[in-house]
Structure formats: structure tokens, C-alpha cells
Amino acid sequence: MADFIEPKILKGFRDFLPPAEIARKNLVEKIERFFRSYGFVPIDTPALEYAEILLGKGGGETEKQIYRFRDNGDRDVALRFDLTVPFARFLAEHRADLCFPFKRYHIAKVWRGENSQRGRYREFTQCDMDIVGSDSAASDFEILHIMASTLPAIAGGDVIIRINHRGLFNRFLSRLGVLDSSVNILRSVDKLAKIGRDETLALLSEFAGENNAKEILDYIGISGDFNQTLVAMTAAAGPCAESERLGLIYEFMVDAGISSAVVLDPSITRGLDYYTGIVFESFLAEMPGIGSICSGGRYDNLLGLYSADKKNALTGVGTSIGIDRLIAGLEALGRLQTAPSYAQAAIACVAESSGGAYQALARKFRDQGIPCEVFLEEDKLSKQFQMAEKKGLRWFIIPDAANPLGGKLTLRDLSKRESREGLTLEEVSAVLK
Amino acid sequence: MADFIEPKILKGFRDFLPPAEIARKNLVEKIERFFRSYGFVPIDTPALEYAEILLGKGGGETEKQIYRFRDNGDRDVALRFDLTVPFARFLAEHRADLCFPFKRYHIAKVWRGENSQRGRYREFTQCDMDIVGSDSAASDFEILHIMASTLPAIAGGDVIIRINHRGLFNRFLSRLGVLDSSVNILRSVDKLAKIGRDETLALLSEFAGENNAKEILDYIGISGDFNQTLVAMTAAAGPCAESERLGLIYEFMVDAGISSAVVLDPSITRGLDYYTGIVFESFLAEMPGIGSICSGGRYDNLLGLYSADKKNALTGVGTSIGIDRLIAGLEALGRLQTAPSYAQAAIACVAESSGGAYQALARKFRDQGIPCEVFLEEDKLSKQFQMAEKKGLRWFIIPDAANPLGGKLTLRDLSKRESREGLTLEEVSAVLK
């Protein structure tokens, strides 16, 4: 036995069996159709990059999680842990060949050697879209518009998009005189849901003083309809361009008929992310507890790592759909669209010697857009029915033994366990279409 | 400057800009539609596996090329270098959950740290399909049938599929009494195209003696139509099951009307690959010189690494499309289907304040299946025309300034530089559909 290898997969990694992979492909293909319909274009970048490119000057948490090693040429390389950093490198390298504002999407695997105890995966799919090179409110709004049209269609139910503006929050902190502590304040605010109001207040008091801490909690607790909330936030932060921008984006949403999907929520901060303008998270209305299924925001100067020249800065706004979380949510809601196969029907193997005719017959169905499998091994029909059922097929076509290509066909409905004999190819097609 | 990182990509790796990525996606999506229409189902496996799983007992060439390292948990891991070895591990692990014969496809990236001097890539897409768990001639034939229907459709021209049978070649070597030297003989035969007849003869003579060497060269030089070739091969190797099987597969091809695409060619051996039954390579009729665009064959006992029990053996037959080579060929033939964008039209930004109405207007086109981009920044129309042309769009829609959503539209044909004014949404849609 020592000569044999145990067929095992790495912890935190997954195989996708056909029903899971078909579900994922269905979802991704639907998302891509939406992205494309807005004129977003796909790109791809390598899974491996120089570690220096991926880690930048930072490191920290990322450095601990990244798969980093020396390649056969002794280069210090790493697997990408997100699609944003490689995108920045891509923009810096290909800027002259691109049209700005550049609207791109990228759906690909990324790898993080996280502690996989909490059921987190070390390999997962990211699905990002960004508009780079426009600072317009129209581009912020376009990202929200895509989310408001795509997410309910793929979720099969309502989705709530919660938006905020990091710049407006900073104005508010500045007014309180605690902007210098914004990192610690953001970190504390981010914990609110986890540790509760009292502990958050205690934490905030440490960094901002007790009175300010209360004001911060009041600010992030502002609620009401969009306009009411915006008025209250503006009263707290003072009139400013950021508040005006939120107002303009809301007008766009009203004009486009998507305002009911969007909530202005000053508690959305996206933690320590690099966002500087609007930020957003979105939730399945029937299952908000699983967390945000699509988040993002506006950032400044994506190319800061590569150039000091502010004239070269590229600002952008983007969003990322959490494919794995969305799949988990749809599965729990019983709405995950999957199937054991793409085939609609299979053709029985009545005699192995007719293999050529069976493929010719199947091709007639395929040419009409009906995916059709051919069974390859002669066996009792009852066994073949069982196999077709196990494959999740509804229809089973039994060709004539003497004239498999030109003769009459029997069509079995495996769900009803009923057969109809003596049908022409056209009659069978009509049922299957 | 030392603070800034040079945005550079690893040697042997590539970025895909939108036109290249759209071309690749067009091709892969077309291939997938064919695979699915035959009832093949997709799977996915991790990019990273235990090195032991990927390298098996072998090593050799593979070991030198593989990206292998210790992960943060000190596990000996590696990036997959093909999709076959992970598929064997997948089958061994999930056998009980699958339906056999199992027809699967897998299109994914693989990595090989090859010497990239010869223009070879270190990251490339593999596109594999296999039928596992059937030893039938019908399954060999099904793979050839898929190739004969898919390859000309995606190549936009004739494709020649050259097939042979490794078992028949072995019968022939056995008859000559040189089966023990088959590895060296295969290696020598494989060099024929490169080193020419005389040097190959010298090499073969070393391993098989001069007379046998001549007979081997005569055998692999047999040509003619399928039946003539088969008769000559059978005369040389002796009547056997392998010859009968080739005859049966040919009958299937005649019955299914695909025989004209297939040539029986005893010089096709697939070198030292693990094939044991039929083997095949396929070539663009107009450009055979770029090499095989799709190759494969039948193999025994895919699970040999994981179990000694012959009762557990899984045989199969499969093929692999060389996406990169095919793209290079189609590009050279001027037949690569690509576009700078999926959008058919764009909507002008006449006034930034109408951003909401423009998205609402665009949605009306999108809902009719017309991909439609929205321009986000106000600018002279002449500038916006230029931008739309640069994006490769043909149609540009200019909304009414006073009534962007409900008013009449101007439609500009950018290819003819002509505008038509005063159109309704329906009239514009009719042109775009």
C-alpha cells in the first residue's frame, strides 16, 4: 500500500462536482450578460505576480495570508489575493492602450491562506467591476444602477443597497475635531454589530472623548428615508460637496426608477478599505443576516504605488459581487438554479453497432438547439431509464432498432414514466422545444 | 523614485486586454456550447494540490517545470500543470457521487515554469473533455464526432483529424519482436518530422536492427484512404481486436457522415503519453504547419496511482483543445472573432444632470437585448463621437436635451458618419436589432 497515494484535497480548497459547477456557471454567465449589456469589457491578468507588486509597501494582514514563494528562477512571486492590486498594475502598464473612462469587469480565482477554521475558503472566485478615470456622479450612479438591476434578477427577490459617503463622514469627524483619529474611529464603528453599543461607546470615547463618541454613535444611527437622512447627516457634518453629490446621485436614482432599492445608511463605512467617496453594501431582503453580497465604493489614485505624480492619478468606483456568499444565500432560499446536466434528452443505445446513426440522430436535435446526449453502451432499457433519471434528464428517446436514423421514435417522459411510440423526429422535437 | 514599484509582469505570463479577452471568451463560450449540447458536464478542481498528488511516482520533466513550494502550514504544494492528474484525483475521491460513463469537460488555467525562450507561456488555458468508465468503440467515436462538429465550426474552415491506434502499433512491434524497445522506438518515430528519414532510420536501427527499422518506417508511412490504410496496417500487424475496432469506428463515421474529416495515419503516436488505444491529432486544413489544435486518445486505468486493484480501474478517452494555438491560427487566418466591446450602441452625455434619464433610456434598449453603454461625462459631441469610435461602437444615440427619456432621438452611424434625427425609441431599436 505504501506505493499508493491517498487522493486528498488541500484544506480550505474545494472540488466542484457538476451540479455545483453548473450552478456557479449559471450565476456567473447571468452576471456577465448584465455587465456586458452596460458596455463593460473583460480583462484577465496572471494568477502569479511579483510579490512586490501584490504586497506593495504594506504587508501586514495580507503578508500573512498570501501564498508567496521563490519560483524556479529564484524570483520572489505570489498568487494574487484579490483582483484590485493586479488591476492597478495592469492600468499602470497598459494605460496608453485603454479608453478612459475604462469600464472593466474581471471574474477570476484568488487565493488567501487564511485560517480556514471559520469555514472560509483559501481559493475563491472574485467578481469585480470598476469604472476608472471618471470622477463624475454619473459613474457612481452607474455602478449603483448595475447593482440595482443585476442583483434582484440573479437573487430572484428584493435586494437592499445601503450607501454612504466616506468623505461626508470625514467632514463630520473634522467638525468634531477628531479627524486625526479616523482610523481608530472607523475600526471601532466597524465593531458595532459585533460588540454592541456600550462597548463601542467605550472604545470611541478612548479615541474621541465621551461627548464626541456619543455624537458619532448618533450620527451613524441616523435613519429615515433618503432625503430625511441626508438632511440630518448634512446638519451634523455641515453643507459640503459630498452632501451635494449624494443628493445628485439620489436624483439620478429617482429619475431612473431605482430609488426604492437604495437606503442611505451612515453606519456603512467599509472599515479600513481604501475608499474615499461613496461606499455601499447590499443585502438579500429575505436574508440580510448572511451579510453583504455586493460591496464597493469610490477610491482615489489607484496608481499611487507606481507614481508620485498626482497628474497621473486615476480615480475610480467599483463593486465586487461575493459569488460564494450569494450562492450560499440562494441555496438557503431554495433558489439556486442548477441541474445535474445541460442535456434535455438522451438517446438510448438499442444496439452498439448503431453508434454512428445515434450520433447522426442526436445531431438533428442539437442543430435545433436541443442539447442531446447519446448513451454509449447496450443495456436493458429499464437500466438505461434508471441511468437517465440519475443524470437528471427528463426525456429519453428510443430509436427504431432496424432503422435508427430514419425510423419512428419512442419518447419516454421519465418524470411521468410514460412512453409515446411511433413519433417522427419533428414530433419529438416539438415536445422538447 | 525608490519608493515606487515598477509595474511589471512575470516573464512567460500575459495580461489580456479587452479585445484579446473578448476573443478568448467568444471561443471558449462557443466550445462550451458544443460540449454541453453533447451532455458533457463541467467540473472544477483547485489550482493548488499536494505536490505528491500532482507528481505521482514520476517526476522527471514535470518536476523541473512545476511551481512547487511550501505553504504557510509547511505543506508541500504545487500549482497544477495539467487538468488530467487533478481529474484522476477527483475521480478517486468522488467516484461514488458520479454517474458512469462520466462525460466531463474542464476549461481552466494551468502553470508550467518552462523555459519561455521559445515563446511558450508559463500560464495557459487547458480545455479538456473526457468520457470515463466506458471501453466502448462508441465512446472513442463520440469524442471524434465532437471534434468533427466543433472544430470546423470554431475554425471557420476544414479541419483534418488524423487518428491511429497505439495498441495496433504495439501488435506490429510485437510481431517484429521489438515490443520491449517500444519506448525508444516511439521516441525515435516522434522525431521523424524534425530530423528526417535517414537519421530516424539510424536511430531506429540502434534499437530494433536495420531490417526492422526499415519495416517500422514503412509501417508509419502507410497512406491511402481509411480502408486501404487499415488493410495495409492489419497486414503488417496481423488481424487483431485493435484493427477490428478501428474498422468499427470508421463504420460509425461513415454512418454519421463525418468520415471525410478523418484520416487514418499510422505516424500519429502521441509520443510518450499514457495512451493505450486510439490516438488522434487535428489540424487546420489551411494551416497544418502550426501543429495539432486538438489531440487526445484512449487510456487505461486512470486511477493507477491510487489503487492497485484492477477491478477499480477506470478507462477513458478524451481530447484537449489547444486554445492558445487555435487563437494564433485563427488570428493568422484573419478569422479570430473579437471586438473592442460587447456594446452595440452608446448614449451621449448631453447634460450631466440627466444621468438618471440616460440610464433609464439605456435600460429600454438593454431590455430588448441590445447592449448599450452610457457616456458619463459631458463633452462636445464631436469628442464623444471620437470616443465611441475608439471604443469600436457603430451606433451612437443622442437624446433630446430637454426631454432625454421621452423625447425624440438622434441616431448616428459612426461607420458612415451620418446622423438621422427625430427618431422614436422603437425606430432606433429597429435599426439596432
Side-chain angles (χ1 to χ4, degrees):
Chain A
M1 282 305 289
D3 270 5
F4 296 99
I5 294 164
E6 188 196 342
K8 63 172 190 247
I9 197 164
L10 283 162
K11 197 179 161 198
F13 288 78
R14 293 172 284 177
D15 285 326
F16 288 84
L17 273 73
E21 184 62 9
I22 289 174
R24 194 166 59 142
K25 280 187 182 272
N26 283 346
L27 191 67
V28 167
E29 285 163 16
K30 215 165 174 179
I31 291 170
E32 278 198 85
R33 279 197 294 277
F34 274 99
F35 288 179
R36 293 173 182 182
S37 79
Y38 280 79
F40 279 67
V41 289
I43 66 158
D44 199 17
T45 65
L48 273 181
E49 299 256 9
Y50 283 104
E52 167 186 75
I53 293 281
L54 298 182
L55 289 168
K57 282 162 280 176
E61 269 311 297
T62 306
E63 186 128 27
K64 277 186 243 158
Q65 294 182 359
I66 201 168
Y67 284 98
R68 180 181 185 172
F69 59 99
R70 297 226 158 237
D71 75 3
N72 293 343
D74 203 35
R75 281 168 287 251
D76 181 12
V77 300
L79 285 166
R80 66 179 167 217
F81 62 91
D82 75 0
L83 301 178
T84 304
V85 180
F87 183 43
R89 198 264 311 141
F90 176 97
L91 286 169
E93 230 177 314
H94 304 291
R95 188 167 190 164
D97 301 315
L98 303 171
C99 264
F100 292 93
F102 182 50
K103 304 181 181 183
R104 86 86 174 79
Y105 74 89
H106 192 188
I107 304 173
K109 295 274 169 72
V110 302
W111 295 269
R112 291 183 196 172
E114 301 197 61
N115 194 325
S116 65
Q117 284 169 337
R118 289 169 297 167
R120 287 203 142 177
Y121 298 115
R122 290 180 169 150
E123 174 180 65
F124 53 96
T125 300
Q126 280 215 334
C127 172
D128 284 13
M129 67 181 318
D130 290 82
I131 303 170
V132 171
S134 172
D135 192 35
S136 63
S139 55
D140 290 350
F141 165 67
E142 180 161 85
I143 294 289
L144 294 168
H145 193 267
I146 293 170
M147 290 167 63
S149 63
T150 309
L151 297 175
I154 58 180
D158 285 344
V159 169
I160 313 292
I161 303 171
R162 300 186 168 274
I163 80 168
N164 190 19
H165 196 301
R166 277 280 280 267
L168 188 57
F169 188 60
N170 282 342
R171 293 267 182 192
F172 167 67
L173 295 184
S174 177
R175 229 184 175 197
L176 293 183
V178 295
L179 185 58
D180 289 350
S181 307
S182 67
V183 167
N184 284 322
I185 292 170
L186 279 170
R187 213 171 254 158
S188 310
V189 163
D190 234 26
K191 292 184 182 151
L192 179 61
K194 215 195 236 166
I195 65 176
R197 191 184 160 89
D198 290 350
E199 269 195 66
T200 309
L201 190 64
L203 266 177
L204 283 171
S205 300
E206 257 180 64
F207 306 119
E210 201 180 328
N211 281 343
N212 286 333
K214 277 184 189 155
E215 287 212 46
I216 292 168
L217 280 183
D218 286 348
Y219 179 88
I220 65 170
I222 295 170
S223 67
D225 70 23
F226 200 104
N227 276 328
Q228 289 165 345
T229 307
L230 184 55
V231 165
M233 288 166 73
T234 309
C240 57
E242 291 81 3
S243 159
E244 273 172 37
R245 178 139 173 160
L246 277 176
L248 182 57
I249 291 171
Y250 184 66
E251 266 177 48
F252 288 167
M253 295 193 291
V254 172
D255 291 348
I258 63 158
S259 58
S260 65
V262 180
V263 173
L264 179 57
D265 180 346
S267 75
I268 298 293
T269 62
R270 303 291 308 142
L272 297 179
D273 280 340
Y274 42 83
Y275 299 114
T276 51
I278 62 159
V279 286
F280 36 80
E281 298 186 349
S282 40
F283 302 86
L284 296 173
E286 298 142 283
M287 203 175 266
I290 62 164
S292 174
I293 54 165
C294 179
S295 321
R298 169 167 290 282
Y299 43 83
D300 282 340
N301 198 7
L302 197 56
L303 306 189
L305 274 181
Y306 307 115
S307 167
D309 191 345
K310 284 282 175 193
K311 276 182 299 181
N312 285 332
L314 272 179
T315 63
V317 57
T319 194
S320 183
I321 299 179
I323 301 276
D324 286 307
R325 191 173 281 177
L326 190 54
I327 285 176
L330 293 177
E331 203 159 19
L333 289 168
R335 271 192 219 132
L336 189 62
Q337 283 175 13
T338 187
S341 168
Y342 291 99
Q344 258 183 279
I347 290 177
C349 183
V350 182
E352 265 180 33
S353 58
S354 300
Y358 297 151
Q359 288 292 351
L361 179 62
R363 175 173 244 173
K364 288 178 193 281
F365 291 108
R366 291 174 195 140
D367 285 349
Q368 294 176 73
I370 301 166
C372 181
E373 182 166 351
V374 168
F375 275 27
L376 302 169
E377 302 196 325
E378 213 176 302
D379 204 344
K380 280 184 209 157
L381 276 181
S382 60
K383 286 270 167 106
Q384 294 193 50
F385 292 162
Q386 277 173 26
M387 168 75 90
E389 277 185 51
K390 204 172 157 197
K391 285 190 169 230
L393 300 170
R394 177 161 175 204
W395 303 102
F396 201 58
I397 298 160
I398 303 138
D400 186 69
N403 186 4
L405 185 53
K408 293 290 173 86
L409 303 169
T410 297
L411 179 65
R412 184 163 180 90
D413 182 340
L414 295 162
S415 66
K416 296 188 182 159
R417 308 203 169 203
E418 284 172 8
S419 296
R420 284 170 65 194
E421 295 177 19
L423 301 180
T424 63
L425 187 117
E426 291 68 31
E427 288 168 329
V428 172
S429 296
V431 174
L432 298 184
K433 263 182 195 168
Chain B
M1 281 306 291
D3 270 5
F4 296 99
I5 294 165
E6 188 197 342
K8 63 171 191 251
I9 198 165
L10 283 162
K11 197 180 160 199
F13 288 78
R14 291 171 286 177
D15 285 326
F16 288 84
L17 273 75
E21 184 62 8
I22 289 174
R24 194 167 58 144
K25 279 187 182 274
N26 284 346
L27 190 67
V28 166
E29 285 163 16
K30 215 166 175 179
I31 291 170
E32 278 198 87
R33 279 197 294 278
F34 273 99
F35 288 179
R36 293 172 183 183
S37 79
Y38 280 79
F40 279 67
V41 289
I43 66 159
D44 200 17
T45 65
L48 273 181
E49 300 257 8
Y50 283 105
E52 168 186 73
I53 293 280
L54 298 182
L55 290 168
K57 283 162 279 176
E61 270 311 295
T62 307
E63 187 128 27
K64 277 186 243 157
Q65 294 182 358
I66 201 168
Y67 284 98
R68 180 180 186 175
F69 59 99
R70 297 228 157 235
D71 74 3
N72 294 341
D74 203 35
R75 282 168 286 253
D76 181 12
V77 301
L79 286 166
R80 66 179 169 218
F81 61 90
D82 75 1
L83 301 177
T84 305
V85 180
F87 183 42
R89 197 265 310 140
F90 176 97
L91 287 168
E93 231 178 312
H94 304 292
R95 190 167 189 163
D97 300 315
L98 303 171
C99 264
F100 291 93
F102 182 52
K103 304 181 182 185
R104 86 87 175 78
Y105 74 87
H106 192 188
I107 303 172
K109 294 275 169 75
V110 302
W111 296 269
R112 291 183 196 172
E114 303 196 60
N115 195 325
S116 65
Q117 284 169 335
R118 286 170 300 167
R120 286 204 140 175
Y121 297 116
R122 289 179 168 149
E123 174 180 66
F124 54 96
T125 300
Q126 280 215 333
C127 172
D128 284 13
M129 67 181 318
D130 290 81
I131 303 170
V132 170
S134 172
D135 192 34
S136 63
S139 54
D140 290 351
F141 165 66
E142 179 162 85
I143 295 288
L144 294 169
H145 193 267
I146 294 170
M147 290 167 64
S149 64
T150 308
L151 297 176
I154 59 180
D158 284 344
V159 169
I160 312 292
I161 303 171
R162 300 186 169 274
I163 81 169
N164 189 19
H165 196 301
R166 278 280 280 267
L168 188 58
F169 187 60
N170 282 341
R171 292 267 182 194
F172 167 68
L173 296 183
S174 177
R175 230 186 173 195
L176 294 183
V178 295
L179 185 58
D180 289 349
S181 307
S182 69
V183 167
N184 285 322
I185 291 170
L186 279 171
R187 211 170 256 159
S188 309
V189 163
D190 233 26
K191 291 184 182 153
L192 179 61
K194 215 196 236 165
I195 64 175
R197 190 182 161 89
D198 291 350
E199 269 196 64
T200 309
L201 190 65
L203 267 176
L204 283 172
S205 299
E206 259 180 61
F207 306 119
E210 201 181 329
N211 280 344
N212 286 334
K214 277 184 189 154
E215 286 213 47
I216 292 169
L217 280 183
D218 285 348
Y219 179 89
I220 64 170
I222 295 171
S223 66
D225 70 25
F226 200 104
N227 276 328
Q228 289 165 346
T229 307
L230 184 56
V231 165
M233 288 166 74
T234 308
C240 57
E242 290 80 2
S243 159
E244 274 172 37
R245 178 139 174 160
L246 276 177
L248 182 57
I249 292 171
Y250 185 66
E251 266 176 48
F252 288 167
M253 294 193 292
V254 172
D255 290 349
I258 63 158
S259 58
S260 65
V262 180
V263 173
L264 179 56
D265 180 347
S267 75
I268 299 293
T269 62
R270 304 289 310 143
L272 297 179
D273 280 341
Y274 42 84
Y275 300 113
T276 51
I278 61 157
V279 285
F280 36 80
E281 298 185 350
S282 40
F283 302 86
L284 296 173
E286 298 142 282
M287 204 176 266
I290 62 165
S292 175
I293 54 165
C294 179
S295 322
R298 169 168 288 283
Y299 43 82
D300 282 340
N301 197 8
L302 198 56
L303 306 188
L305 273 181
Y306 307 115
S307 166
D309 191 344
K310 284 281 175 194
K311 276 183 299 183
N312 285 331
L314 273 178
T315 63
V317 57
T319 193
S320 184
I321 299 179
I323 301 277
D324 286 307
R325 191 174 281 177
L326 189 54
I327 286 176
L330 292 177
E331 203 160 19
L333 290 168
R335 271 192 218 132
L336 189 63
Q337 284 176 11
T338 186
S341 168
Y342 291 99
Q344 258 182 279
I347 290 177
C349 184
V350 182
E352 264 181 33
S353 58
S354 299
Y358 297 151
Q359 288 292 351
L361 179 62
R363 175 173 245 173
K364 288 178 194 281
F365 291 108
R366 292 174 194 139
D367 285 349
Q368 295 175 72
I370 302 166
C372 181
E373 180 167 351
V374 168
F375 274 27
L376 302 169
E377 302 197 325
E378 213 176 301
D379 205 343
K380 279 185 208 156
L381 277 182
S382 59
K383 286 269 167 106
Q384 295 192 50
F385 291 164
Q386 277 174 25
M387 168 77 89
E389 277 184 53
K390 204 173 157 197
K391 285 189 168 230
L393 300 170
R394 175 160 176 202
W395 302 103
F396 201 58
I397 298 160
I398 304 138
D400 186 69
N403 185 4
L405 185 52
K408 292 292 173 83
L409 303 169
T410 298
L411 179 65
R412 184 164 181 89
D413 181 340
L414 295 163
S415 66
K416 296 188 182 159
R417 311 205 167 198
E418 284 171 7
S419 297
R420 284 170 65 194
E421 294 178 21
L423 301 181
T424 63
L425 187 117
E426 292 68 31
E427 288 168 331
V428 172
S429 297
V431 175
L432 298 185
K433 263 183 195 168

